[in-house]
Amino acid sequence: MFTESPPATADVVVIGAGIIGASCGYELATRGLSVLVVDRGAVAAGTTASGEGNLLVSDKTPGPELTLTQLSLDLWRELPDRLAADLGRTPDLELEDKGGLMVARTAEAAEALRALADDQRKAGVTAEEVAADAAPELEPHLTRELVTTVYYPQDQQVQPVLAATAMLAAAVARGATVVPDAPVTGLQRTSGGFTVQTAAGPVSTPAVVVAAGPWSGRIAALAQGRLPVEPRRGMVLVTEPLPPTVRHKVYDAGYVADVGSASADLVASAVVEATRAGTVLIGSTRERIGFDPLIRVAALRLLAAGAVALFPALGAVTAIRAYGGFRPYSPDHLPVIGPDPAVPGLWYASGHEGAGIGLAPATGRLLGELFVGAPPSTDPSPFAADRPGLAAAYPSTAGDSA
């Protein structure tokens, strides 16, 4: 399905074969373009593989990101049938209407959670407050030390590696080429666009889409582009397989504030959910420490303590492993989707931080529409590369290839 050598030319080269690059490649291929998707490593092996597969409205405040999320959730529901038309079979994406439960354990947190939920309802989100004494009906093992909870039935879950792989396979069925293990080492601007230098060989193209996750700023700099995206580290604990213990995605109300934090320091808020295999995933941490891959015991202790505070029974459970990844962080917490205004032919789809899996279908759709000049499904201006929120930010030009 995937190949070792790129073609000599392509209408567009997508750099990055994670969930965002896969969606962009698929949407561009559906519009009749010859597409090449390249990646520094295996398909979906970077940030996508480290994600929990969250498709959430619950952690979004009203505004452009929530609007894009609502579009994306509609597209996620359609995606299996769309892919089936290209693949000749319905792929198993492990797409699940899991629902989310946000928990407030103090009066102050409860007041903030109720205000958030009220604002979200005005923006079209289903947010159902559940009294503390009724919460065990949704989550029998949840702590009784809580003030209130809010249930978000629109929250979903997907297996992101399966989803990215299926989208790339559908793109290939439409004529695209996917070349993994081909780091991009240069982007030379030419009179006709770019020569993309990869470890598998050069490619001439009029257009490049940078969808390389936390490495996107470095790749953009190869073409003199300005993209202020940098890595934000996160870690997850994984328990031994358990009998059914956690039914929904359950997280502390402080999670929303941590997602929106601009701090480079370590922040952690409890997020607990089960997998089909019976293991429980415990997140999440955030810190901006570059591409430092070390697993930090202090962060794991915070994760474990937060999980036990929500589900006391987890205190007697063994954690079998921990893993980390790098989210693509942008300074104003919105992704960059669209062209670089100063470099003709250079396009971006990056900076989603922890929301990239949920926002992938809408990102690909919007990028594809803008690329061919079709009417956009949503207002693209909040995601433009030259928006005011990014005016004072500059990307790093140092680093390795992606």
Side-chain angles (χ1 to χ4, degrees):
M1 179 171 62
F2 306 139
T3 64
E4 296 181 358
S5 301
T9 63
D11 291 336
V12 56
V13 174
V14 178
I15 301 175
I19 193 79
I20 296 295
S23 183
C24 290
Y26 176 56
E27 289 288 347
L28 291 166
T30 65
R31 287 161 172 77
L33 298 161
S34 64
V35 179
L36 168 64
V37 181
V38 296
D39 198 281
R40 64 185 301 182
V43 163
T47 298
T48 297
S50 299
E52 298 172 58
N54 299 327
L55 315 180
L56 307 180
V57 294
S58 52
D59 66 341
K60 311 293 191 301
T61 57
E65 187 180 27
L66 176 57
T67 300
L68 192 66
T69 299
Q70 290 167 317
L71 169 63
S72 211
L73 290 187
D74 289 341
L75 295 176
W76 270 114
R77 294 184 184 95
E78 300 170 5
L79 188 61
D81 289 340
R82 288 187 68 203
L83 296 177
D86 293 312
L87 299 174
R89 59 178 177 82
T90 301
D92 181 12
L93 310 182
E94 297 187 11
L95 190 59
E96 182 181 358
D97 290 320
K98 179 177 285 188
L101 195 65
M102 194 176 296
V103 176
R105 293 184 290 123
T106 67
E108 181 181 12
E111 182 180 359
L113 176 55
R114 290 182 178 119
L116 170 65
D118 187 54
D119 287 343
Q120 290 170 322
R121 291 186 197 101
K122 295 173 184 175
V125 173
T126 302
E128 304 169 359
E129 184 167 359
V130 180
D133 58 358
E137 296 177 19
L138 290 173
E139 287 289 349
H141 299 281
L142 186 65
T143 179
R144 291 349 186 224
E145 301 294 325
L146 53 87
V147 176
T148 194
T149 63
V150 174
Y151 174 54
Y152 293 90
Q154 293 165 302
D155 282 357
Q156 299 177 69
Q157 190 84 9
V158 74
Q159 213 299 330
V161 175
L162 292 178
T165 303
M167 282 191 276
L168 289 170
V172 169
R174 286 183 170 266
T177 303
V178 179
V179 182
D181 300 312
V184 170
T185 56
L187 285 176
Q188 282 79 46
R189 296 167 66 178
T190 67
S191 58
F194 301 89
T195 297
V196 182
Q197 299 289 347
T198 80
V203 184
S204 295
T205 181
V208 169
V209 176
V210 179
W215 297 273
S216 293
R218 297 177 172 188
I219 290 295
L222 295 176
Q224 292 76 54
R226 287 173 45 178
L227 181 64
V229 171
E230 60 180 291
R232 199 178 192 189
R233 169 81 160 160
M235 282 185 277
V236 175
L237 268 176
V238 184
T239 74
E240 62 186 313
L242 303 174
T245 303
V246 183
R247 298 177 177 179
H248 305 84
K249 182 179 183 68
V250 182
Y251 42 106
D252 190 272
Y255 178 78
V256 175
D258 285 351
V259 169
S261 168
S263 174
D265 296 333
L266 174 66
V267 293
S269 50
V271 183
V272 183
E273 62 190 304
T275 69
R276 284 191 182 182
T279 58
V280 174
L281 305 181
I282 298 170
S284 67
T285 66
R286 282 172 165 79
E287 57 183 330
R288 299 212 311 276
I289 54 173
F291 285 101
D292 185 344
L294 292 178
I295 299 293
R296 288 173 166 73
V297 174
L300 300 183
R301 285 174 176 157
L302 287 174
L303 292 177
V308 172
L310 288 180
F311 290 90
L314 293 178
V317 169
T318 300
I320 58 173
R321 69 185 181 98
Y323 65 90
F326 302 102
R327 305 177 182 95
Y329 169 88
S330 73
D332 62 359
H333 303 285
L334 288 176
V336 182
I337 307 168
D340 186 310
V343 184
L346 187 63
W347 293 73
Y348 300 132
S350 189
H352 301 72
E353 201 178 326
I357 293 165
L359 293 175
T363 297
R365 175 67 57 88
L366 182 58
L367 189 284
E369 291 165 343
L370 295 174
F371 195 91
V372 301
S377 297
T378 190
D379 180 9
S381 61
F383 313 108
D386 58 353
R387 63 184 184 254
L390 301 183
Y394 296 90
S396 170
T397 58
D400 55 13
S401 59

